[in-house]
Coordinates of all heavy atoms in Angstrom, one line a residue:
M102 N -95.3 70.5 46.3 CA -96.3 69.9 45.3 C -95.6 69.1 44.3 O -96.2 68.2 43.7 CB -97.0 71.1 44.6 CG -98.0 71.7 45.5 SD -99.0 73.1 44.9 CE -98.8 73.0 43.1
V103 N -94.4 69.3 43.9 CA -93.7 68.6 42.9 C -92.6 67.7 43.4 O -91.8 67.2 42.7 CB -93.1 69.6 41.8 CG1 -94.2 70.3 41.1 CG2 -92.1 70.5 42.4
R104 N -92.6 67.5 44.7 CA -91.5 66.7 45.4 C -91.3 65.4 44.7 O -90.2 64.9 44.5 CB -91.8 66.6 46.8 CG -90.7 65.8 47.6 CD -91.0 65.6 49.0 NE -91.2 66.9 49.6 CZ -91.9 67.2 50.7 NH1 -92.5 66.2 51.3 NH2 -92.1 68.4 51.1
N105 N -92.4 64.7 44.4 CA -92.3 63.4 43.8 C -92.5 63.3 42.3 O -92.6 62.3 41.7 CB -93.3 62.4 44.4 CG -93.1 62.3 45.9 OD1 -92.0 62.1 46.4 ND2 -94.1 62.4 46.7
A106 N -92.5 64.5 41.7 CA -92.6 64.6 40.2 C -91.3 64.1 39.6 O -90.2 64.2 40.1 CB -92.9 66.0 39.8
P107 N -91.4 63.5 38.4 CA -90.2 63.1 37.7 C -89.3 64.3 37.3 O -89.8 65.3 37.0 CB -90.7 62.3 36.5 CG -92.1 62.8 36.3 CD -92.6 63.2 37.6
R108 N -88.0 64.0 37.2 CA -87.1 65.1 36.8 C -87.2 65.2 35.3 O -87.6 64.3 34.5 CB -85.6 64.7 37.1 CG -85.4 64.5 38.6 CD -84.8 65.7 39.1 NE -84.5 65.6 40.5 CZ -84.6 66.5 41.4 NH1 -85.1 67.7 41.1 NH2 -84.3 66.3 42.7
F109 N -86.8 66.4 34.8 CA -86.9 66.7 33.4 C -86.1 65.7 32.5 O -86.6 65.2 31.5 CB -86.4 68.1 33.0 CG -86.6 68.5 31.6 CD1 -87.9 68.8 31.2 CD2 -85.6 68.5 30.7 CE1 -88.1 69.2 29.8 CE2 -85.8 68.8 29.4 CZ -87.0 69.2 29.0
K110 N -85.0 65.2 33.0 CA -84.2 64.3 32.2 C -84.9 62.9 32.0 O -84.7 62.2 31.0 CB -82.8 64.0 32.8 CG -82.8 63.3 34.2 CD -81.4 63.1 34.7 CE -81.4 62.5 36.1 NZ -80.1 62.3 36.6
V111 N -85.8 62.6 32.9 CA -86.7 61.4 32.7 C -87.8 61.7 31.7 O -88.1 60.8 30.9 CB -87.3 61.0 34.1 CG1 -88.3 59.9 33.9 CG2 -86.2 60.6 35.1
L112 N -88.3 62.9 31.7 CA -89.4 63.3 30.8 C -88.9 63.6 29.4 O -89.7 63.5 28.4 CB -90.1 64.5 31.3 CG -90.8 64.3 32.6 CD1 -91.4 65.6 33.1 CD2 -91.9 63.2 32.5
K113 N -87.6 64.0 29.2 CA -87.1 64.5 27.9 C -87.3 63.5 26.8 O -87.8 63.9 25.7 CB -85.7 64.9 28.1 CG -85.1 65.5 26.8 CD -83.8 66.1 27.1 CE -83.3 66.8 25.8 NZ -82.1 67.6 26.0
P114 N -87.0 62.2 27.0 CA -87.3 61.2 25.8 C -88.7 61.2 25.4 O -89.0 61.1 24.2 CB -86.8 59.9 26.4 CG -85.8 60.2 27.5 CD -86.3 61.5 28.1
M115 N -89.6 61.3 26.4 CA -91.0 61.3 26.1 C -91.4 62.6 25.3 O -92.2 62.5 24.4 CB -91.9 61.2 27.4 CG -91.8 59.8 28.0 SD -92.8 59.6 29.5 CE -91.7 60.3 30.7
L116 N -90.9 63.7 25.7 CA -91.2 65.0 25.1 C -90.6 65.0 23.6 O -91.3 65.4 22.7 CB -90.6 66.2 25.8 CG -91.2 66.5 27.2 CD1 -90.5 67.5 27.9 CD2 -92.7 66.9 27.0
N117 N -89.4 64.4 23.5 CA -88.8 64.3 22.1 C -89.8 63.5 21.2 O -90.0 64.0 20.1 CB -87.5 63.6 22.2 CG -86.4 64.5 22.9 OD1 -86.6 65.6 23.2 ND2 -85.3 63.8 23.2
K118 N -90.3 62.4 21.7 CA -91.2 61.6 20.9 C -92.5 62.3 20.7 O -93.1 62.3 19.6 CB -91.4 60.3 21.6 CG -92.2 59.3 20.8 CD -92.4 58.0 21.6 CE -93.2 57.0 20.8 NZ -93.4 55.7 21.5
L119 N -93.0 63.0 21.7 CA -94.3 63.7 21.6 C -94.2 64.8 20.5 O -95.1 65.0 19.7 CB -94.6 64.3 22.9 CG -95.9 65.2 23.0 CD1 -97.1 64.3 22.8 CD2 -96.0 65.9 24.3
F120 N -93.1 65.6 20.5 CA -93.0 66.7 19.6 C -92.5 66.3 18.2 O -92.7 67.1 17.2 CB -92.0 67.7 20.1 CG -92.4 68.4 21.4 CD1 -91.5 68.7 22.4 CD2 -93.7 68.7 21.6 CE1 -91.9 69.3 23.6 CE2 -94.1 69.4 22.8 CZ -93.2 69.7 23.8
K121 N -91.9 65.1 18.0 CA -91.3 64.8 16.7 C -92.4 64.9 15.6 O -93.4 64.2 15.6 CB -90.8 63.4 16.8 CG -90.0 63.0 15.6 CD -89.4 61.6 15.7 CE -88.6 61.3 14.4 NZ -87.9 60.1 14.5
G122 N -92.0 65.7 14.6 CA -92.9 65.9 13.5 C -94.2 66.6 13.7 O -95.0 66.8 12.7
K123 N -94.4 67.2 14.9 CA -95.6 67.9 15.2 C -95.5 69.4 15.0 O -94.4 69.9 15.1 CB -96.1 67.6 16.6 CG -96.3 66.1 16.9 CD -97.5 65.6 16.2 CE -97.9 64.2 16.6 NZ -97.0 63.2 16.8
H124 N -96.6 70.0 14.8 CA -96.7 71.5 14.8 C -97.0 71.9 16.2 O -98.2 71.7 16.7 CB -97.7 72.0 13.8 CG -97.5 71.5 12.4 ND1 -96.5 72.1 11.6 CD2 -97.9 70.4 11.7 CE1 -96.5 71.5 10.4 NE2 -97.3 70.4 10.5
V125 N -96.1 72.5 16.9 CA -96.3 72.8 18.3 C -96.7 74.3 18.5 O -96.1 75.2 17.9 CB -95.0 72.6 19.1 CG1 -95.1 73.0 20.6 CG2 -94.5 71.1 19.0
V126 N -97.8 74.5 19.2 CA -98.3 75.8 19.5 C -98.2 76.1 21.0 O -98.7 75.3 21.8 CB -99.8 75.9 19.0 CG1 -100.3 77.3 19.3 CG2 -99.9 75.6 17.5
A127 N -97.7 77.2 21.3 CA -97.6 77.6 22.7 C -98.1 79.1 22.8 O -98.0 79.9 21.9 CB -96.2 77.5 23.2
Y128 N -98.6 79.5 24.0 CA -99.0 80.9 24.1 C -97.9 81.8 24.1 O -98.0 82.9 23.6 CB -99.9 81.0 25.4 CG -100.5 82.4 25.4 CD1 -101.5 82.8 24.5 CD2 -100.0 83.4 26.3 CE1 -102.0 84.1 24.5 CE2 -100.5 84.7 26.3 CZ -101.5 85.0 25.4 OH -102.0 86.3 25.4
N129 N -96.8 81.5 24.7 CA -95.6 82.3 24.7 C -94.4 81.4 24.4 O -93.7 81.0 25.3 CB -95.4 83.0 26.1 CG -94.3 84.0 26.1 OD1 -93.5 84.1 25.2 ND2 -94.3 84.9 27.1
M130 N -94.2 81.2 23.1 CA -93.1 80.2 22.7 C -91.8 80.6 23.2 O -91.0 79.8 23.6 CB -93.2 80.1 21.2 CG -92.2 79.0 20.7 SD -92.5 77.4 21.3 CE -93.9 76.9 20.4
N131 N -91.5 81.9 23.3 CA -90.1 82.3 23.7 C -89.9 81.9 25.2 O -88.8 81.4 25.5 CB -90.0 83.8 23.7 CG -89.9 84.3 22.2 OD1 -89.5 83.6 21.3 ND2 -90.2 85.6 22.0
F132 N -90.9 82.0 26.0 CA -90.8 81.5 27.4 C -90.8 80.0 27.5 O -89.9 79.5 28.2 CB -92.0 82.1 28.2 CG -92.1 81.7 29.6 CD1 -91.3 82.3 30.6 CD2 -92.8 80.6 30.0 CE1 -91.3 81.9 31.9 CE2 -92.9 80.2 31.3 CZ -92.1 80.9 32.3
D133 N -91.7 79.3 26.8 CA -91.8 77.9 26.9 C -90.6 77.2 26.3 O -90.1 76.2 26.8 CB -93.0 77.4 26.2 CG -94.3 77.8 26.9 OD1 -94.2 78.1 28.2 OD2 -95.4 77.9 26.3
S134 N -90.0 77.8 25.3 CA -88.8 77.2 24.7 C -87.6 77.1 25.6 O -86.7 76.3 25.5 CB -88.5 77.8 23.4 OG -88.1 79.2 23.6
V135 N -87.6 78.0 26.6 CA -86.5 78.0 27.6 C -86.5 76.7 28.4 O -85.5 76.0 28.6 CB -86.6 79.2 28.5 CG1 -85.6 79.1 29.7 CG2 -86.3 80.5 27.8
F136 N -87.8 76.3 28.7 CA -87.9 75.1 29.5 C -87.9 73.8 28.7 O -87.3 72.8 29.1 CB -89.3 75.1 30.3 CG -89.3 76.2 31.3 CD1 -90.0 77.4 31.0 CD2 -88.7 76.0 32.5 CE1 -90.0 78.4 32.0 CE2 -88.7 77.0 33.5 CZ -89.4 78.2 33.2
L137 N -88.4 73.9 27.5 CA -88.5 72.7 26.7 C -87.2 72.5 25.8 O -86.9 71.4 25.4 CB -89.7 72.7 25.8 CG -91.0 72.8 26.5 CD1 -92.2 73.0 25.6 CD2 -91.2 71.5 27.3
G138 N -86.5 73.5 25.7 CA -85.1 73.5 25.0 C -85.0 72.6 23.8 O -85.8 72.7 22.9
S139 N -84.1 71.7 23.9 CA -83.7 70.9 22.7 C -84.8 69.9 22.3 O -84.8 69.5 21.2 CB -82.4 70.1 23.0 OG -82.6 69.2 24.0
S140 N -85.8 69.7 23.2 CA -86.9 68.8 22.8 C -87.7 69.4 21.6 O -88.3 68.7 20.8 CB -87.8 68.6 24.0 OG -87.2 67.8 24.9
L141 N -87.7 70.7 21.5 CA -88.5 71.4 20.5 C -87.8 71.2 19.1 O -88.5 71.5 18.1 CB -88.7 72.8 20.8 CG -89.7 73.1 22.0 CD1 -89.7 74.6 22.3 CD2 -91.1 72.6 21.6
R142 N -86.6 70.9 19.1 CA -85.9 70.7 17.8 C -86.5 69.6 17.0 O -86.3 69.5 15.8 CB -84.4 70.4 18.0 CG -83.6 71.7 18.4 CD -82.1 71.4 18.4 NE -81.8 70.8 19.7 CZ -80.8 70.1 19.9 NH1 -79.9 69.9 19.0 NH2 -80.6 69.5 21.1
H143 N -87.2 68.7 17.7 CA -87.8 67.5 17.0 C -89.2 67.9 16.3 O -89.7 67.1 15.6 CB -88.0 66.4 18.0 CG -86.7 65.9 18.6 ND1 -85.9 65.0 18.0 CD2 -86.1 66.3 19.8 CE1 -84.8 64.8 18.7 NE2 -85.0 65.6 19.8
A144 N -89.7 69.1 16.6 CA -91.0 69.5 16.1 C -90.8 69.9 14.6 O -89.8 70.4 14.1 CB -91.5 70.7 16.9
A145 N -91.9 69.7 13.9 CA -92.0 70.1 12.5 C -92.0 71.7 12.4 O -91.4 72.2 11.5 CB -93.2 69.6 11.8
S146 N -92.7 72.3 13.3 CA -92.7 73.8 13.3 C -93.2 74.2 14.7 O -93.8 73.5 15.5 CB -93.7 74.3 12.3 OG -95.0 73.9 12.5
L147 N -92.8 75.5 15.0 CA -93.2 76.1 16.3 C -94.0 77.4 16.0 O -93.7 78.1 15.1 CB -91.9 76.5 17.0 CG -90.9 75.4 17.3 CD1 -89.7 75.9 18.0 CD2 -91.6 74.3 18.2
H148 N -95.1 77.5 16.7 CA -95.9 78.7 16.5 C -96.2 79.3 17.9 O -96.5 78.7 18.9 CB -97.3 78.3 15.9 CG -97.1 77.5 14.6 ND1 -96.8 78.2 13.4 CD2 -97.0 76.2 14.4 CE1 -96.7 77.3 12.5 NE2 -96.8 76.1 13.0
C149 N -96.2 80.7 17.9 CA -96.6 81.4 19.1 C -97.9 82.0 18.9 O -98.1 83.0 18.1 CB -95.5 82.5 19.4 SG -95.9 83.4 20.9
C150 N -98.9 81.5 19.6 CA -100.3 82.1 19.4 C -100.4 83.5 20.1 O -101.3 84.2 19.8 CB -101.4 81.1 19.8 SG -101.3 80.5 21.5
M151 N -99.5 83.8 21.1 CA -99.5 85.1 21.7 C -99.2 86.2 20.6 O -99.8 87.2 20.5 CB -98.6 85.2 22.9 CG -98.6 86.5 23.6 SD -97.7 86.5 25.1 CE -96.0 86.6 24.6
K152 N -98.2 85.9 19.8 CA -97.8 86.8 18.7 C -99.0 86.9 17.7 O -99.3 88.0 17.2 CB -96.5 86.4 18.0 CG -95.3 86.5 18.9 CD -94.1 86.1 18.1 CE -92.8 86.2 19.0 NZ -91.7 85.6 18.3
A153 N -99.6 85.8 17.4 CA -100.7 85.8 16.4 C -101.8 86.6 17.0 O -102.5 87.3 16.3 CB -101.1 84.3 16.1
Y154 N -102.1 86.4 18.3 CA -103.2 87.2 18.9 C -102.9 88.7 18.9 O -103.8 89.5 18.6 CB -103.5 86.7 20.3 CG -104.7 87.5 20.9 CD1 -106.0 87.3 20.4 CD2 -104.5 88.5 21.8 CE1 -107.0 88.0 20.9 CE2 -105.5 89.3 22.3 CZ -106.8 89.0 21.8 OH -107.9 89.8 22.3
A155 N -101.7 89.0 19.1 CA -101.3 90.5 19.1 C -101.5 91.0 17.7 O -102.0 92.2 17.6 CB -99.8 90.6 19.5
E156 N -101.2 90.3 16.7 CA -101.5 90.8 15.3 C -103.0 90.8 15.1 O -103.5 91.8 14.4 CB -100.9 89.9 14.3 CG -99.3 90.0 14.3 CD -98.7 89.1 13.3 OE1 -99.3 88.8 12.2 OE2 -97.5 88.7 13.5
Y157 N -103.8 89.9 15.6 CA -105.2 89.9 15.4 C -105.8 91.1 16.1 O -106.7 91.7 15.6 CB -105.8 88.6 16.0 CG -107.3 88.6 16.1 CD1 -108.1 88.4 15.0 CD2 -107.9 88.8 17.4 CE1 -109.5 88.5 15.1 CE2 -109.3 88.8 17.5 CZ -110.1 88.7 16.4 OH -111.4 88.7 16.5
Y158 N -105.4 91.3 17.4 CA -105.9 92.4 18.1 C -105.7 93.7 17.4 O -106.5 94.6 17.4 CB -105.3 92.4 19.5 CG -105.9 93.4 20.5 CD1 -107.0 93.1 21.1 CD2 -105.3 94.6 20.7 CE1 -107.6 94.1 22.0 CE2 -105.8 95.6 21.5 CZ -107.0 95.3 22.2 OH -107.5 96.2 23.1
G159 N -104.5 93.8 16.8 CA -104.2 94.9 15.9 C -103.7 96.2 16.5 O -103.7 97.2 15.8
E160 N -103.2 96.2 17.7 CA -102.6 97.4 18.2 C -101.1 97.5 17.9 O -100.3 96.8 18.5 CB -102.9 97.5 19.7 CG -102.5 98.9 20.2 CD -103.0 99.1 21.7 OE1 -103.8 98.3 22.2 OE2 -102.5 100.1 22.3
Y161 N -100.8 98.2 16.9 CA -99.4 98.3 16.5 C -98.6 99.4 17.2 O -99.1 100.5 17.5 CB -99.3 98.6 15.0 CG -98.0 98.5 14.3 CD1 -97.5 97.2 14.0 CD2 -97.2 99.6 14.1 CE1 -96.2 97.1 13.5 CE2 -95.9 99.5 13.5 CZ -95.5 98.2 13.2 OH -94.2 98.1 12.6
D162 N -97.4 99.0 17.6 CA -96.5 99.9 18.3 C -95.4 100.4 17.4 O -94.5 99.7 17.1 CB -95.9 99.2 19.5 CG -95.0 100.1 20.4 OD1 -94.7 101.3 20.0 OD2 -94.6 99.7 21.5
P163 N -95.6 101.7 16.9 CA -94.6 102.1 15.9 C -93.2 102.3 16.4 O -92.2 102.2 15.7 CB -95.2 103.5 15.4 CG -96.1 103.9 16.5 CD -96.6 102.6 17.2
V164 N -93.0 102.5 17.7 CA -91.7 102.7 18.3 C -91.0 101.4 18.2 O -89.8 101.3 17.8 CB -91.8 103.2 19.8 CG1 -90.5 103.2 20.4 CG2 -92.5 104.5 19.8
R165 N -91.6 100.3 18.6 CA -91.0 98.9 18.6 C -91.1 98.3 17.2 O -90.6 97.2 17.0 CB -91.6 98.0 19.6 CG -91.3 98.5 21.0 CD -92.1 97.7 22.0 NE -92.1 98.3 23.3 CZ -91.5 97.8 24.4 NH1 -90.8 96.7 24.3 NH2 -91.5 98.5 25.5
Q166 N -91.9 98.9 16.3 CA -92.2 98.3 15.0 C -92.7 96.9 15.0 O -92.2 96.0 14.3 CB -91.0 98.4 14.1 CG -90.5 99.9 13.9 CD -89.4 100.0 12.9 OE1 -88.8 99.1 12.5 NE2 -89.1 101.3 12.5
S167 N -93.6 96.7 16.0 CA -94.3 95.4 16.1 C -95.6 95.6 16.8 O -95.9 96.6 17.3 CB -93.4 94.4 16.9 OG -93.3 94.8 18.2
F168 N -96.4 94.5 16.8 CA -97.7 94.6 17.6 C -97.4 94.4 19.1 O -96.5 93.8 19.5 CB -98.6 93.5 17.1 CG -99.1 93.7 15.7 CD1 -98.5 93.2 14.6 CD2 -100.3 94.5 15.5 CE1 -99.0 93.5 13.3 CE2 -100.8 94.8 14.3 CZ -100.1 94.3 13.2
K169 N -98.2 95.1 19.9 CA -98.1 95.0 21.3 C -98.5 93.7 21.8 O -99.4 93.0 21.3 CB -99.0 96.1 22.0 CG -98.5 97.5 21.7 CD -99.4 98.5 22.4 CE -98.9 99.9 22.1 NZ -99.8 100.9 22.7
W170 N -97.8 93.2 22.9 CA -98.1 91.9 23.5 C -99.4 92.0 24.2 O -99.8 93.0 24.8 CB -97.0 91.6 24.5 CG -95.7 91.3 23.9 CD1 -94.6 92.0 23.9 CD2 -95.3 90.1 23.1 NE1 -93.6 91.5 23.2 CE2 -94.0 90.3 22.7 CE3 -96.0 89.0 22.7 CZ2 -93.3 89.4 21.9 CZ3 -95.4 88.1 21.9 CH2 -94.1 88.3 21.5
P171 N -100.2 90.9 24.2 CA -101.5 90.9 24.8 C -101.5 91.2 26.3 O -102.4 91.8 26.8 CB -102.0 89.5 24.6 CG -101.3 89.1 23.3 CD -100.0 89.7 23.4
E172 N -100.4 90.9 27.1 CA -100.4 91.2 28.5 C -100.5 92.7 28.8 O -100.9 93.1 29.9 CB -99.2 90.6 29.2 CG -97.9 91.1 28.7 CD -97.1 90.1 27.9 OE1 -97.7 89.1 27.4 OE2 -95.9 90.2 27.7
R173 N -100.2 93.5 27.8 CA -100.3 94.9 28.0 C -101.8 95.4 28.0 O -102.1 96.5 28.4 CB -99.6 95.7 26.9 CG -98.1 95.5 26.9 CD -97.4 96.4 25.9 NE -96.0 96.0 25.8 CZ -95.3 96.4 24.8 NH1 -95.7 97.1 23.8 NH2 -94.0 96.0 24.7
Y174 N -102.7 94.5 27.6 CA -104.1 94.9 27.5 C -104.8 94.6 28.8 O -106.0 94.9 28.9 CB -104.7 94.1 26.3 CG -104.0 94.1 25.0 CD1 -103.9 93.0 24.2 CD2 -103.4 95.3 24.6 CE1 -103.2 93.0 23.0 CE2 -102.7 95.3 23.4 CZ -102.6 94.2 22.6 OH -102.0 94.3 21.4
G175 N -104.1 94.0 29.8 CA -104.7 93.9 31.1 C -105.5 92.6 31.3 O -106.2 92.6 32.3
F176 N -105.4 91.6 30.5 CA -106.1 90.4 30.8 C -105.2 89.2 31.0 O -105.6 88.1 30.9 CB -107.2 90.0 29.8 CG -106.9 90.3 28.3 CD1 -106.1 89.5 27.6 CD2 -107.4 91.4 27.7 CE1 -105.9 89.7 26.3 CE2 -107.2 91.7 26.4 CZ -106.4 90.8 25.7
L177 N -104.0 89.5 31.4 CA -103.1 88.4 31.9 C -102.7 88.6 33.3 O -102.5 89.7 33.7 CB -101.9 88.3 31.0 CG -102.1 87.7 29.7 CD1 -100.7 87.6 28.9 CD2 -102.6 86.3 29.8

């Protein structure tokens, strides 16, 4: 399916320009940042809406001292 897709090194300058000065929101920023890497350094800010949703959902895990990830709720 991706045989003819451009390589990341071709897309990287476009991503750098796209992210520059922008507020970037991803559902799982920790995961996405692995793929987008240094391109995200050009962003004004990074936000993880998965973490925000976990706080909104409100199920706190006292053992981990943080809110539980949404995938634990069974809808991912």
Side-chain angles (χ1 to χ4, degrees):
M102 288 179 17
V103 296
R104 181 179 304 154
N105 297 317
R108 300 264 184 216
F109 186 76
K110 66 181 179 181
V111 173
L112 297 174
K113 189 171 180 170
M115 290 181 277
L116 291 171
N117 292 348
K118 186 176 178 180
L119 177 71
F120 295 143
K121 187 175 182 177
K123 301 292 191 317
H124 301 279
V125 178
V126 178
Y128 186 72
N129 186 346
M130 186 59 77
N131 290 340
F132 178 81
D133 293 336
S134 65
V135 171
F136 294 101
L137 298 173
S139 63
S140 293
L141 290 174
R142 283 187 281 161
H143 301 276
S146 63
L147 303 174
H148 305 278
C149 180
C150 59
M151 184 170 74
K152 289 180 184 178
Y154 181 74
E156 289 181 30
Y157 167 79
Y158 187 81
E160 191 169 345
Y161 191 77
D162 183 348
V164 174
R165 296 176 193 246
Q166 297 184 350
S167 66
F168 288 93
K169 293 182 180 180
W170 292 109
E172 62 253 17
R173 293 186 192 166
Y174 309 139
F176 38 80
L177 283 182

